[in-house]
Amino acid sequence: MLFGSVLPLIVALACAPLMQGVITRTKSVIAGRMGQPLMQPYHDLWKLLHKGAVYSHTTSWIFRTGPMVSLASLLLALALVPFGGFPALSAFSGDFILLAYLMALGRFFIVLAALDTGSSFEGMGASREVTFSALAEPALFLSLAALARQTGRISISPLLTAVSWSVWAHAAPMLGLTLAALIIVFLAENARIPVDDPTTHLELTMIHEVMVLDHGGPDFAMIQYGAALKMWLFATIIVAVAVPWHSGNRWIDTAVGLAGMLILAIATGVIESSMARLRLLRVPQLLLVAIVLASLAVAL
Amino acid sequence: MTTLVASLLFFGAGAVASVIFARRQRWLRLFGAGGVILGSVCGLVPAVRVAMGAPPQSLRMAWDVPYGSLYLRLDALSAFFLVPIFLICALAALYGTEYLEAYRERKSLAPAWFFLNVLAASMAVVVLANNAVLFLMAWETMSLSSFFLVTFENEKKSTRRAGWTYLVASHIGTTFLLVLFVLLGKANGSLDFDRFGPASGAGAFFVLALAGFGTKAGFVPLHVWLPEAHPAAPSHVSAIMSAVMIKTGIYGLLRILTFLGPMQAWWGWTLCAIGLSSGVLGVLLALAQHDLKRLLAYHSVENIGIIALGIGVGIVGVSLGEPFVAVAGFAGAMLHVLNHAMFKALLFLDAGNIAHTTHTREIDRLGGLLARMPATGATFLVGAAAISGLPPLNGFISEFLIYMASFKGAVSSGAFGSVPMLATLSGLALIGGLALACFTKAFGIVFLGQPRSERAEHAREAGLAMLAPGFVLAAGCVLVGLFGASVVRAMAPLISNVTHLQSSLIGFDLAGAANSVERVAQFGALLIAMAALLALARTKVLARRRVSTATTWDCGYASPSPRMQYTASSFAQPLTTSFRMLLQTREVLTGMEETFPRRAEFHSHTDDPYQRYLFQPLFQSINRATAFLRPLQQGGVQLYVLYIVVTLLAVMLWEIA
Amino acid sequence: MSQLINSVLVLLVLTGFMLLSSSRLAACIHVVAFQGVLLGLLAILMQHGELTVTGVLLPLSTALVKGFLLPWLLFRAMREADTVREVEPLISYNLSIIAGSAVLVFALWLGQRLRLPSQPPSSLLVPAALFMSFVGMLVIVSRRKAVTQALGYLALENGVYAFGAAVALRLPVLVELGILLDVFVGVFVMGIAIFHISREFEHIDTDKFAASTDRPR
């Protein structure tokens, strides 16, 4: 039983970077390129872990603490979400509030680490990050409230388990709207197109990447791994709502869940290939739309 | 009760001694601060005991004031407010011993110590009073003593202006309270609080209390005095005012709620609406500020908003018959009262440390202070994380409870009833996100990067008396974050006092809420452990590698200067533009006309929209409308005596006829 | 069935928001066209029981006129008038969305309050219809161009159509045709007007019309 509840955590820790690999591969296939190997994110992490470190003169202990606190909070947040047929390691009423705020804690420290360098590029990225996440937060909470109202649970693991095909059968519009809002939040929080372009090469246009410009070596590995975990975390919630497969056999459910994650990664790649990034001034509007979608879902 | 009386006597003695030793600096400091500290420590003992569940105590003495009685009562509600009052007063007094030294050459410190003692005593009496006359007298003493503390630096024009605004605002508030208590007394036949009972017209009483106490608490739009007065005061006084004095407004509101009988849903709706607007507007205005203490003052408006949201959700919960919503809402609000007292005092004291050494509060002139003031920086970081509601600190626990209440309420009520709940939870989420933006800005620009001015360059760490209170408060933030569950469990008598729910229901639901809080605390402890583990791993990994230093990535530009760093204004700019509709920030850009402009200037300034568009026009029109009365004001004493005589005669004639 | 109707209604509400938040004129016209098609679909879905020939043909013609003919006219007018492709709103897009949400809340509240002669097949029908008309009005008052005014008018009429569907499950054929004709003539006239205005004044900003009155200069 203990193994059962640890399994989702192990799967997440092992597969999270793969999701980024799949997205990148999808994009290169659509663009007609070979693309980097699927396992490239793992190679990157491995390489970074074996490097030394270079710190800026201006930085203080905040800069070194940032990546650790952010990774630690994401690791703990993972213990709160279920995967496939397996419930979360820990569940209690109101745990999704903790989940959201653990991610906020990680963001707080990454932003401070960025400001610690004194670079105006990083200040710019930090400023954008806090702006967009402040607007994404209400959308996330309203989506969760919509799901909670539908299922009557206020803990994320039972809540996601309670979503089933029969809920879809009698509340499809509401779930659809929630899903749409969650996907916008997913794209915004994980620095994907149309909010942020993870592959852009101009500092002035970046959000997440420019914040971590000065990190290197093991610190940067922690940040990259944390980003992968964060994406995995949001993706599990979306997949659990979109593909509520509860066959009774946990292994089948887990396989379906993994397939769902794969599809979501491919879908993200398709979205990234088919869209341009929004102008930064228009991003708040997109997040506002997510808030409207989520509140419409609650109202239904 | 005797210890409490002793504590009040200490305050009195401190005040008297401040007058006696007005010219002897050392004695003045000893007795002035000693009175506050001894009185507070002495009062803390019974306050903590009653707050943790000991039976209420009361004391009644004869008093020659019509309708008044010297009637003090310490119950769970008073005790819960008394604990932060005493705690913060003691720490602020300790802080003041060093902070005020800077003014020693320029002016007498006796008023500062005298009024500090009076303020501490009057705040204690406000929450202890069990008679309306006594309450109002203490209330007025509190307002006046804090007014004199605000205008301590009265040689500055801005300070005099702030004091004036504060005086006017608090008296308008008191007028509402006067009406409220007169009406309550008339309806119940006595001015003792324990004789007050459910009366008809409870709604009107609620509105009066909201206006009167809301002015003190700083509910939008009655908050306009707050961002003026709090920054103008010396930092330890700002800490007291922001952390505990405005909470007496919350106390008054809750106390009135206990008299009014069954709670009605629209009270809760109103409080949720007020809380939402205070919270969002407070944090947005804070974000737009350039002055560190003004930023903190606006955050008090925001946090009062959060408390109002909690109370509002609690009231809606009571009226819906949802005990969990009620219990968690009130528990969250009450815990936030305590938490906000701790982190806001901490932040104001740290802001004082900065102002003390750099002589500026302008955020954009600071920077790089963490290296120069490590202890101040570390405690400020704790406070910033706590006020942003981040785990594992105390701010998260109280917001968590309010979130839980609103989620539970949203799940278990119908489409219409869930509106305030959904508004609360989405509002809290927005406030949380914006607060995070604001405090990454405050901490990041002030403490990180490179110094942006000469003054910041030469900043030095404050002394022990100014640092110790910060350490205590930071430790308090962490401790409540990790052991909040026991505080929540101890709130049962308090909540039953306010909500009149069955105590078995309260016990059950409080245990449920405390259970979740306990789990959160476990996660907090785990988080600390996990971060420590990662830190250990990192040092192990890096031990065998080359670790070097270099300049920050400058995109190829060879000589970046500290002035090229991102500033607070630029950091907040995306958010202030997104919400420009609410903020009405004025931006002035000059000197960009020519093809090759030589010197350009950019200013941005955000006024308080309510001040600018509501109160200023309002007071100006009152001024115009009453201009014809000016001739009455001639300045001669004889004339004023004449007015008094005429008034007395008129009243007498009216009474006879 | 009610799930399908609900989904269509939600989509209709979303098109309202898209109309408010879109910055491209072409996108707005597409949105309104999509609304027309959705309305046709809605009318078909609402006929519980057997499908009659008129019961299918009428909604179909609605969808055709609203979804293809009118948009085509508008596109033509836009091309002829050679307008800028931006919407040029008087209030910002964010504010438009917020106003839209406020209107939605109002419509939901009003929909609960309104007493109707017959029970509509979905509780969302009346609020959605009201919302669409309100959005139409919002677009008319908050946008600068004549084309957007025509679009707002169309959206408003779409709301009226949906409301009609909610009140009486089966309108007399004649009435329905009459409404359709009305709209057609309305948009046609507007199209011609836009064309001529642009030829005379070389712009179609309605807020500049004030300059063409006889006010003394």
Side-chain angles (χ1 to χ4, degrees):
Chain A
M1 197 53 230
L2 183 70
F3 174 70
S5 43
V6 177
L7 191 82
L9 203 61
I10 296 174
V11 172
L13 293 179
C15 302
L18 187 61
M19 240 188 119
Q20 289 180 331
V22 173
I23 295 176
T24 320
R25 175 51 82 79
T26 312
K27 282 167 76 176
S28 39
V29 167
I30 291 178
R33 290 182 281 117
M34 278 275 288
Q36 56 192 33
L38 275 178
M39 293 293 161
Q40 188 62 39
Y42 295 94
H43 295 302
D44 288 347
L45 286 175
W46 187 253
K47 198 169 124 194
L48 284 171
L49 276 176
H50 285 81
K51 287 197 166 205
V54 182
Y55 294 110
S56 155
H57 301 302
T58 24
T59 58
S60 60
W61 54 272
I62 295 280
F63 185 78
R64 294 150 180 78
T65 320
M68 296 182 298
V69 174
S70 127
L71 182 60
S73 58
L74 282 163
L75 284 172
L76 281 180
L78 271 182
L80 291 170
V81 283
F83 188 76
F86 295 98
L89 201 55
S90 173
F92 54 91
S93 329
D95 51 5
F96 42 64
I97 306 161
L98 179 65
L99 179 80
Y101 274 79
L102 278 173
M103 285 190 276
L105 176 72
R107 183 181 316 128
F108 183 79
F109 271 89
I110 292 285
V111 165
L112 285 188
L115 289 173
D116 201 8
T117 60
S119 148
S120 38
F121 291 126
E122 288 174 52
M124 194 157 33
S127 152
R128 289 169 184 165
E129 170 94 0
V130 293
T131 303
F132 298 149
S133 57
L135 294 171
E137 210 98 307
L140 176 64
F141 272 95
L142 279 170
S143 314
L144 288 171
L147 291 174
R149 259 177 85 84
Q150 190 57 239
T151 59
R153 312 284 161 83
I154 54 168
S155 167
I156 187 110
S157 184
L159 185 153
L160 290 180
T161 328
V163 178
S164 63
W165 293 122
S166 67
V167 176
W168 269 101
H170 75 258
M174 172 258 148
L175 282 181
L177 286 172
T178 314
L179 211 53
L182 281 176
I183 287 176
I184 295 180
V185 174
F186 166 78
L187 294 174
E189 288 275 356
N190 290 300
R192 313 306 305 189
I193 292 175
V195 175
D196 184 11
D197 188 352
T199 55
T200 181
H201 290 288
L202 186 63
E203 289 94 335
L204 287 171
T205 62
M206 299 181 190
I207 301 176
H208 179 78
E209 287 301 306
V210 75
M211 272 205 306
V212 294
L213 216 54
D214 260 88
H215 286 278
D219 287 335
F220 193 50
M222 281 198 255
I223 286 181
Q224 292 291 66
Y225 191 53
L229 289 181
K230 189 173 173 188
M231 180 187 268
W232 179 269
L233 225 151
F234 273 104
T236 37
I237 297 176
I238 291 175
V239 167
V241 176
V243 200
W245 193 287
H246 305 297
S247 64
N249 185 330
R250 291 175 158 188
W251 298 107
I252 296 179
D253 293 353
T254 307
V256 171
L258 281 175
M261 299 295 268
L262 187 68
I263 293 170
L264 182 62
I266 293 174
T268 312
V270 172
I271 292 177
E272 296 219 330
S273 311
S274 58
M275 275 182 100
R277 217 199 60 201
L278 284 175
R279 274 186 298 149
L280 283 168
L281 284 172
R282 300 277 282 183
V283 173
Q285 194 186 329
L286 180 73
L287 294 168
L288 203 57
V289 167
I291 295 176
V292 169
L293 290 174
S295 16
L296 198 57
V298 189
L300 283 180
Chain B
M1 208 66 204
T2 37
T3 25
L4 265 181
V5 174
S7 131
L8 293 178
L9 288 178
F10 272 122
F11 292 136
V16 172
S18 312
V19 177
I20 295 173
F21 296 106
R23 299 198 178 278
R24 300 209 159 163
Q25 296 290 354
R26 190 176 300 165
W27 292 102
L28 174 64
R29 193 168 63 169
L30 184 66
F31 284 109
V36 179
I37 293 173
L38 276 179
S40 300
V41 172
C42 196
L44 261 180
V45 179
V48 168
R49 286 233 314 265
V50 173
M52 296 308 276
Q57 310 165 352
S58 58
L59 172 84
R60 182 166 198 156
M61 281 188 283
W63 197 26
D64 264 352
V65 172
Y67 304 107
S69 56
L70 205 61
Y71 191 0
L72 300 177
R73 189 177 146 83
L74 176 66
D75 61 0
L77 184 59
S78 330
F80 204 83
F81 281 87
L82 215 48
V83 172
I85 287 178
F86 283 143
L87 180 73
I88 302 301
C89 281
L91 293 173
L94 176 61
Y95 184 90
T97 54
E98 188 181 330
Y99 184 81
L100 286 175
E101 286 303 289
Y103 298 95
R104 194 167 148 181
E105 309 297 317
R106 276 182 282 154
K107 54 171 49 185
S108 166
L109 301 182
W113 288 115
F114 174 77
F115 286 115
L116 193 65
N117 275 291
V118 175
L119 178 63
S122 58
M123 281 195 298
V125 176
V126 161
V127 297
L128 284 169
N130 208 28
N131 174 281
V133 177
L134 182 62
F135 178 88
L136 282 174
M137 287 180 74
W139 186 264
E140 197 54 27
T141 315
M142 178 176 82
S143 301
L144 285 178
S145 54
S146 53
F147 164 75
F148 285 113
L149 287 168
V150 166
T151 52
F152 176 67
E153 289 183 77
N154 50 23
E155 65 276 4
K156 289 185 192 161
K157 189 171 177 231
S158 62
T159 304
R160 288 199 300 272
R161 218 184 105 83
W164 179 238
T165 314
Y166 174 45
L167 200 65
V168 172
S170 58
H171 280 88
I172 292 176
T174 313
T175 315
F176 285 107
L177 294 185
L178 208 62
V179 176
L180 169 73
F181 281 116
V182 167
L183 290 179
L184 267 175
K186 215 169 169 192
N188 295 292
S190 163
L191 282 171
D192 283 352
F193 283 179
D194 41 14
R195 298 277 190 80
F196 285 166
S200 58
F205 291 143
F206 174 75
V207 172
L208 279 172
L210 204 59
F213 290 119
T215 312
K216 182 60 75 181
F219 289 157
V220 166
L222 304 170
H223 69 284
V224 286
W225 63 272
L226 203 151
E228 303 293 330
H230 288 200
S235 288
H236 63 297
V237 178
S238 321
I240 292 182
M241 288 177 74
S242 236
V244 287
M245 197 191 75
I246 57 172
K247 305 296 169 38
T248 56
I250 300 291
Y251 165 79
L253 194 61
L254 287 174
R255 182 59 82 188
I256 295 296
L257 279 179
T258 62
F259 306 145
L260 294 185
M263 294 180 188
Q264 291 159 26
W266 68 267
W267 302 356
W269 281 67
T270 313
L271 272 172
C272 281
I274 289 176
L276 203 61
S277 50
S278 303
V280 173
L281 202 71
V283 69
L284 279 175
L285 283 166
L287 206 54
Q289 299 309 315
H290 309 298
D291 177 329
L292 184 57
K293 279 176 82 175
R294 213 175 149 84
L295 178 150
L296 292 176
Y298 271 118
H299 267 286
S300 294
V301 177
E302 175 230 313
N303 278 283
I304 285 290
I306 294 177
I307 294 169
L309 281 174
I311 299 176
V313 167
I315 295 178
V316 175
V318 172
S319 67
L320 284 176
E322 286 284 342
F324 182 85
V325 179
V327 167
F330 275 109
M334 292 304 301
L335 192 59
H336 205 72
V337 167
L338 178 70
N339 290 342
H340 177 245
M342 292 204 280
F343 52 65
K344 185 47 68 65
L346 169 60
L347 290 167
F348 260 119
L349 295 184
D350 281 338
N353 287 356
I354 296 166
H356 192 71
T357 165
T358 62
H359 304 289
T360 181
R361 304 191 309 231
E362 195 83 358
I363 298 173
D364 284 341
R365 291 178 163 276
L366 300 168
L369 290 186
L370 189 62
R372 290 158 185 82
M373 310 172 76
T376 304
T379 49
F380 194 96
L381 180 66
V382 172
I387 199 173
S388 310
L390 296 176
L393 299 169
N394 59 355
F396 178 66
I397 305 287
S398 39
E399 286 188 28
F400 176 80
L401 285 168
I402 301 175
Y403 267 121
M404 269 233 290
S406 47
F407 265 106
K408 187 78 184 169
V411 166
S412 55
S413 55
F416 188 66
S418 67
V419 172
M421 306 295 170
L422 294 169
T424 299
L425 65 89
S426 50
L428 268 182
L430 181 66
I431 293 169
L434 292 174
L436 189 137
C438 192
F439 273 94
T440 43
K441 163 187 131 172
F443 184 80
I445 306 295
V446 171
F447 285 97
L448 303 177
Q450 283 178 314
R452 289 178 181 76
S453 70
E454 194 85 342
R455 288 166 167 182
E457 178 102 49
H458 301 300
R460 283 186 35 231
E461 184 61 290
L464 192 60
M466 281 166 73
L467 285 177
F471 288 133
V472 172
L473 290 167
C477 288
V478 177
L479 285 179
V480 174
L482 294 181
F483 303 101
S486 33
V487 183
V488 173
R489 287 202 186 91
M491 279 185 195
L494 166 74
I495 290 171
S496 102
N497 219 341
V498 180
T499 59
H500 303 302
L501 288 170
Q502 272 177 30
S503 53
S504 60
L505 279 179
I506 293 178
F508 178 74
D509 286 317
L510 208 56
N515 215 14
S516 281
V517 170
E518 200 147 24
R519 298 295 287 275
V520 168
Q522 286 168 4
F523 265 82
L526 265 178
L527 181 77
I528 295 171
M530 183 81 84
L533 209 68
L534 284 174
L536 198 71
R538 178 178 158 282
T539 29
K540 270 259 187 300
V541 165
L542 282 182
R544 280 166 284 141
R545 310 256 171 77
R546 209 167 66 100
V547 177
S548 55
T549 53
T551 50
T552 301
W553 166 241
D554 45 17
C555 206
Y557 183 72
S559 55
S561 84
R563 287 195 58 198
M564 289 166 65
Q565 292 175 99
Y566 233 48
T567 60
S569 324
S570 41
F571 187 80
Q573 192 264 345
L575 276 167
T576 47
T577 13
S578 295
F579 291 95
R580 62 180 172 275
M581 199 171 69
L582 290 172
L583 289 173
Q584 306 286 340
T585 303
R586 286 174 297 149
E587 293 181 345
V588 184
L589 179 64
T590 51
M592 293 289 277
E593 294 92 11
E594 308 148 59
T595 319
F596 297 103
R598 291 211 187 126
R599 184 190 171 87
E601 277 183 40
F602 175 76
H603 297 279
S604 71
H605 186 71
T606 309
D607 284 320
D608 195 303
Y610 283 98
Q611 170 89 325
R612 193 175 162 78
Y613 298 105
L614 179 65
F615 289 107
Q616 254 175 25
L618 182 70
F619 279 94
Q620 271 164 9
S621 55
I622 290 177
N623 215 356
R624 273 197 298 277
T626 54
F628 70 93
L629 289 173
R630 287 251 168 85
L632 288 177
Q633 182 91 331
Q634 295 290 359
V637 179
Q638 300 89 337
L639 202 60
Y640 295 132
V641 174
L642 182 68
Y643 293 154
I644 294 172
V645 171
V646 170
T647 314
L648 283 175
L649 276 176
V651 170
M652 205 172 76
L653 283 176
W654 190 55
E655 195 63 14
I656 290 168
Chain C
M1 197 50 122
S2 77
Q3 275 304 295
L4 265 176
I5 292 179
N6 263 344
S7 306
V8 171
L9 288 172
V10 165
L11 279 177
L12 277 173
V13 171
L14 289 186
T15 53
F17 276 109
M18 279 165 73
L19 189 61
L20 285 175
S21 64
S22 191
S23 65
R24 298 276 154 183
L25 268 183
C28 285
I29 297 178
H30 282 305
V31 164
V32 174
F34 184 56
Q35 242 180 18
V37 176
L38 281 176
L39 277 179
L41 189 64
L42 186 70
I44 294 178
L45 284 176
M46 298 246 286
Q47 290 166 2
H48 39 122
E50 77 288 0
L51 288 175
T52 57
V53 179
T54 43
V56 175
L57 274 184
L58 264 181
L60 215 60
S61 56
T62 311
L64 270 177
V65 173
K66 293 188 172 197
F68 298 97
L69 186 58
L70 297 180
W72 176 74
L73 270 175
L74 285 174
F75 268 122
R76 214 182 77 109
M78 220 177 90
R79 202 169 46 242
E80 303 265 321
D82 207 15
T83 49
V84 187
R85 290 176 302 165
E86 293 273 338
V87 169
E88 298 181 18
L90 293 172
I91 57 174
S92 78
Y93 296 111
N94 286 342
L95 194 57
S96 303
I97 297 177
I98 292 169
S101 329
V103 160
L104 180 62
V105 170
F106 180 63
L108 283 169
W109 178 78
L110 201 64
Q112 269 188 343
R113 282 300 179 84
L114 229 50
R115 294 255 169 276
L116 291 180
S118 63
Q119 185 68 28
S122 156
S123 60
L124 198 59
L125 185 51
V126 178
L130 289 173
F131 172 72
M132 280 158 64
S133 338
F134 292 151
V135 164
M137 292 183 214
L138 203 59
V139 167
I140 291 177
V141 295
S142 69
R143 300 293 190 260
R144 195 162 281 164
K145 287 213 170 69
V147 177
T148 32
Q149 314 239 318
L151 281 173
Y153 173 64
L154 268 178
L156 190 142
E157 202 282 327
N158 284 346
V160 174
Y161 182 92
F163 194 76
V167 177
L169 287 181
R170 215 165 289 176
L171 286 173
V173 177
L174 234 104
V175 176
E176 200 155 336
L177 275 178
I179 294 176
L180 207 57
L181 200 67
D182 262 2
V183 179
F184 181 71
V185 172
V187 174
F188 195 68
V189 170
M190 273 192 174
I192 294 171
I194 291 168
F195 178 61
H196 282 279
I197 293 164
S198 74
R199 213 170 44 188
E200 291 300 320
F201 296 102
E202 293 182 348
H203 62 74
I204 54 165
D205 282 6
T206 44
D207 62 345
K208 291 183 190 151
F209 285 179
S212 65
T213 54
D214 310 329
R215 262 191 328 207
R217 301 265 155 95

